[in-house]
Amino acid sequence: MATGRTHRPATRSRGIPEATVARLPLYLRALTALSERSVPTVSSEELAAAAGVNSAKLRKDFSYLGSYGTRGVGYDVEYLVYQISRELGLTQDWPVVIVGIGNLGAALAGYGGFASRGFRVAALIDADPAMTGKPVAGIPVQHSDDLEKIINEDGVSIGVIATPAGVAQQVCDRLVAAGVTSILNFAPTVLSVPDGVDVRKVDLSIELQILAFHEQRKAGEEAGAESGPDSGTDTGAPAAPPAARTAGGSRKGPDGDVPAVMPA
Amino acid sequence: MATGRTHRPATRSRGIPEATVARLPLYLRALTALSERSVPTVSSEELAAAAGVNSAKLRKDFSYLGSYGTRGVGYDVEYLVYQISRELGLTQDWPVVIVGIGNLGAALAGYGGFASRGFRVAALIDADPAMTGKPVAGIPVQHSDDLEKIINEDGVSIGVIATPAGVAQQVCDRLVAAGVTSILNFAPTVLSVPDGVDVRKVDLSIELQILAFHEQRKAGEEAGAESGPDSGTDTGAPAAPPAARTAGGSRKGPDGDVPAVMPA
DNA sequence: CCATCTTTGTGCACGCGTTCACAAAGACAT
DNA sequence: ATGTCTTTGTGAACGCGTGCACAAAGATGG
């Protein structure tokens, strides 16, 4: 009853795999750094190292965009910056509204990463009348009553939700009704949206929990001993995982490439 | 030359797939909500809806933890909350340090989601002497000179980096040297860490860029016709991907389950 | 005790993403 | 021009994750 948006097709947008799209910003950042250092060209191997990915993956990613490299030489940094920027839609201006100007919302408003790359904070919106008019990061907060008006006037299509979980869905509904079709959600809730609206979710608590899982496992393994702490019915707290530490070094990074931040 | 940590094995921690681990916090949140409403049992279908996932996927996820359900009835909410909490290592206390108390760091310090679920902000650390001693979210900021001491004394194994990108790697190195084995990185940089250390990355800018990509695609499709702002030489804009169908509602959400927040 | 009904747990198939490995392409030197 | 050397672009194989569909399990009612 909640989501209504159960299985998803993992659509491949215009032939570019989602996994690739998610990495393009990473490449772009690395390329921008090279550009600032006036590096003219870069090989897939170098760029891959800078972006923290496998070079074959990088080449395949770029192959979805076209053949922008020169065999025997590498990629032209400036050209690639332009192509990726264009592909990501960063050559145009994206007005963004941030709803919920609490600690997090205020931090986001002042976050440099937003302002860079074509994103412009068009408005800060909060439901608290006491906040209205107060400047945050140089932008005056507006009251949520005007949400629809603001979105329409500025042609905003991307909204950031930084409200408490309780009102997130409701804010989301209003944003969507007003015309927003992409939402970045910081509230710890599953948002339900109609088809055609993108939602990406960032949940700090979830990230920590995932780290805790691996951390616990590391501690447990190191404590060595026999099997799993659990397996039994209860076992209560697996007992103090001895103050881990000591990089044994051999641990094979319990990573993997999993979300935690994902659509819907 | 940066990472030094190229290909990764996508380790399957103790038999539990990473993808599943990443969803456990999601289930836990939904279950906690049910628990607060004193709901005794829940079916996979209901819980899946609340968590925004497919019910078959949820059942398979739980099957990795063991057989905690009762056929014909469903899952016992309280029991499941306990099992998942234990599996994630949330039954113990995790002291966390936050390094870099700027806008974002301060917001994180005050973020409720941290304090909940077993995570305790053990210390706030900043390199600015002017910040030292100043209380943020009720916790006095300490100078980064004492970083190692703080980590050792409190047995901190999880660190949060909220510094500018320029010093992130350096802070990371110190954290790792001091014994931290899990890092949540908010700085827009690829961190290089030794094996055995987990890094999860949250990049707000990347999330927005991914949204922009889909947003552009939606706009392009709608505008149908020409498109290609440039196209120029090569493939250029493969010109109107046949103006897909309109918003006939049939738009199949350009989602997919991709990171943007991921290890390393 | 048996029948029926609900819901779990999972075998299986499919598709996406990753990685390897190599041929094609071009730069560069001779 | 021709040969060599570097690096791209990609075909193919593999593995993980997802979702279907169903048999097994147990609750419930007669």
Side-chain angles (χ1 to χ4, degrees):
Chain A
M1 26 214 65
T3 325
R5 217 260 198 103
T6 321
H7 45 282
R8 83 192 31 137
T11 312
R12 175 173 302 196
S13 317
R14 135 80 180 308
I16 300 179
E18 273 298 316
T20 295
V21 172
R23 280 188 295 267
L24 290 182
L26 223 54
Y27 301 144
L28 183 56
R29 181 197 298 159
L31 285 165
T32 302
L34 290 173
S35 172
E36 281 166 4
R37 285 168 37 207
S38 300
V39 177
T41 61
V42 65
S43 71
S44 63
E45 203 68 51
E46 292 166 328
L47 185 54
V53 304
N54 180 295
S55 72
K57 192 188 299 189
L58 178 142
R59 285 198 300 276
K60 180 146 290 190
D61 282 343
F62 285 174
S63 78
Y64 291 115
L65 307 183
S67 287
Y68 296 149
T70 304
R71 298 178 191 227
V73 176
Y75 299 91
D76 181 276
V77 174
E78 294 301 332
Y79 187 58
L80 205 46
V81 163
Y82 171 70
Q83 288 298 343
I84 295 181
S85 292
R86 190 175 53 82
E87 197 67 53
L88 284 172
L90 303 181
T91 50
Q92 60 185 282
D93 179 69
W94 292 105
V96 171
V97 296
I98 300 177
V99 185
I101 312 303
N103 275 336
L104 184 58
L108 294 178
Y111 183 57
F114 270 55
S116 62
R117 311 220 176 294
F119 297 100
R120 178 171 53 83
V121 179
L124 304 182
I125 302 177
D126 199 283
D128 181 3
M131 292 288 295
T132 307
K134 214 169 75 174
V136 170
I139 303 171
V141 175
Q142 301 185 61
H143 193 269
S144 49
D145 284 349
D146 300 328
L147 188 146
E148 287 76 7
K149 183 169 67 94
I150 297 166
I151 290 176
N152 283 325
E153 285 180 0
D154 284 344
V156 175
S157 56
I158 299 178
V160 177
I161 297 180
T163 66
V167 298
Q169 180 62 59
Q170 166 181 350
V171 166
C172 172
D173 291 343
R174 285 183 67 186
L175 287 173
V176 170
V180 166
T181 47
S182 284
I183 292 176
L184 183 51
N185 179 33
F186 285 87
T189 320
V190 176
L191 291 181
S192 165
V193 296
D195 273 6
V197 175
D198 269 344
V199 176
R200 293 194 70 86
K201 187 164 123 45
V202 176
D203 192 313
L204 314 180
S205 170
I206 286 182
E207 296 298 324
L208 275 188
Q209 291 176 51
I210 295 172
L211 284 178
F213 171 84
H214 292 304
E215 199 58 39
Q216 183 188 41
R217 199 167 65 74
K218 284 184 233 172
E221 269 182 13
E222 185 176 320
E226 61 328 339
S227 70
D230 69 318
S231 66
T233 330
D234 30 61
T235 324
R245 84 38 260 315
T246 317
S250 56
R251 269 268 61 250
K252 215 36 166 96
D255 21 51
D257 298 298
V258 188
V261 167
M262 56 182 190
Chain B
M1 40 182 63
T3 326
R5 215 257 200 106
T6 321
H7 46 282
R8 84 193 28 142
T11 312
R12 173 173 302 195
S13 317
R14 138 79 178 313
I16 300 180
E18 273 297 317
T20 294
V21 172
R23 279 188 295 267
L24 290 182
L26 223 53
Y27 302 144
L28 183 56
R29 181 196 296 158
L31 285 165
T32 302
L34 291 172
S35 172
E36 280 166 4
R37 285 168 36 206
S38 300
V39 177
T41 62
V42 65
S43 70
S44 64
E45 204 67 52
E46 292 166 327
L47 185 54
V53 304
N54 179 294
S55 71
K57 192 188 299 187
L58 178 144
R59 287 197 299 276
K60 182 150 291 190
D61 282 343
F62 285 174
S63 77
Y64 291 114
L65 307 183
S67 286
Y68 295 150
T70 304
R71 298 180 191 226
V73 176
Y75 299 90
D76 181 276
V77 174
E78 295 301 332
Y79 187 58
L80 205 46
V81 164
Y82 171 70
Q83 289 299 342
I84 294 181
S85 292
R86 189 174 55 79
E87 197 69 51
L88 285 172
L90 304 181
T91 51
Q92 61 185 283
D93 179 69
W94 292 105
V96 172
V97 295
I98 300 177
V99 186
I101 313 302
N103 275 336
L104 184 58
L108 294 177
Y111 183 57
F114 269 55
S116 62
R117 309 222 178 293
F119 297 101
R120 178 173 52 84
V121 179
L124 304 181
I125 302 176
D126 200 284
D128 181 3
M131 292 288 295
T132 307
K134 213 169 78 175
V136 171
I139 303 170
V141 175
Q142 301 182 64
H143 193 269
S144 48
D145 284 349
D146 301 328
L147 188 146
E148 287 78 7
K149 183 170 67 95
I150 297 167
I151 290 176
N152 283 323
E153 284 180 1
D154 285 344
V156 175
S157 56
I158 300 179
V160 176
I161 297 180
T163 66
V167 297
Q169 180 63 58
Q170 166 182 349
V171 165
C172 172
D173 291 343
R174 286 184 66 186
L175 287 173
V176 170
V180 165
T181 48
S182 285
I183 291 176
L184 183 52
N185 179 33
F186 285 87
T189 320
V190 175
L191 290 182
S192 163
V193 295
D195 273 6
V197 175
D198 268 344
V199 176
R200 294 193 69 85
K201 186 163 124 43
V202 176
D203 193 313
L204 314 180
S205 170
I206 285 182
E207 296 299 324
L208 276 187
Q209 291 176 50
I210 295 172
L211 284 177
F213 171 85
H214 292 303
E215 199 58 40
Q216 183 189 40
R217 199 168 63 74
K218 285 184 234 173
E221 273 183 10
E222 188 176 318
E226 27 55 88
S227 81
D230 74 317
S231 80
T233 349
D234 29 44
T235 23
R245 77 290 260 97
T246 346
S250 55
R251 271 266 60 248
K252 220 44 163 93
D255 21 53
D257 298 298
V258 189
V261 166
M262 58 181 188

